């Protein structure tokens, strides 16, 4: 995992605009397609962005939560904390999949209600979930 200090500490100097809030903040998404290594147990990957600097991920085993920083089209995650439930069977590798997927910064883009997250060798298409 990549730890970025000062996450969430944004300030704008004179004449400098504060960073815009990414369009996915305050929303939840669920994966509909994965290109590259598949999620053990079939997922889906569920991603929630409860605040401008927070993320929550779940792929079928334990929930992973932590801080993030968005810098343009790059999403950097700090170390993620997770629940510690044992997951037998096909979902047993879901946590390792999340750890591998998020170990380096992700690139992102959104179109309408879709969000695409890309890591080296893996791309995930997520659709916005409505409550």
């Amino acid at each position: 995992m990549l730890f970025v200090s000062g996450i969430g500490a944004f300030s704008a100097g004179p004449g400098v605009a504060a960073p815009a809030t990414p369009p996915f903040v305050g929303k939840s998404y669920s994966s509909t397609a994965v290109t590259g290594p598949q999620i053990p147990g079939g997922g889906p990957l569920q991603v929630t962005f409860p605040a401008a600097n927070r993320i929550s991920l779940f792929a079928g085993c334990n929930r992973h939560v932590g801080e993030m920083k968005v810098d343009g089209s790059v999403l950097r995650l700090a170390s993620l904390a997770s629940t510690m439930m044992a997951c037998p069977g096909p979902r047993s590798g879901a946590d390792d999949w999340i750890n591998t997927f998020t170990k380096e910064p992700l690139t992102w883009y959104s179109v309408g209600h879709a969000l695409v997250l890309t890591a080296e060798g893996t791309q995930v298409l997520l659709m916005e979930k409505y409550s």
Side-chain angles (χ1 to χ4, degrees), residues 14-112:
V16 177
T21 301
F24 49 77
V25 172
K27 298 178 182 177
S28 295
Y29 296 84
S30 185
S31 65
T32 58
V34 176
T35 303
Q38 297 299 298
I39 301 167
L45 175 62
Q46 298 174 15
V47 182
T48 301
F49 302 94
N53 67 335
R54 301 290 299 166
I55 189 169
S56 171
L57 302 102
F58 177 78
C61 188
N62 288 291
R63 182 158 312 279
H64 300 253
V65 296
E67 292 185 337
M68 66 171 193
K69 180 179 179 184
V70 178
D71 186 14
S73 64
V74 177
L75 194 150
R76 290 175 170 73
L77 304 181
S79 295
L80 298 173
S82 72
T83 56
M84 300 297 291
M85 181 175 73
C87 300
R91 295 188 184 272
S92 66
D95 292 340
D96 287 338
W97 186 90
I98 286 177
N99 290 332
T100 299
F101 181 63
T102 61
K103 73 179 176 185
E104 297 294 331
L106 303 170
T107 57
W108 71 273
Y109 68 91
S110 64
V111 177

Side-chain angles (χ1 to χ4, degrees), residues 106-129:
L106 303 170
T107 57
W108 71 273
Y109 68 91
S110 64
V111 177
H113 298 286
L115 175 66
V116 177
L117 297 177
T118 304
E120 188 174 326
T122 307
Q123 187 173 64
V124 180
L125 171 63
L126 303 121
M127 295 302 295
E128 188 175 348
K129 292 173 33 178

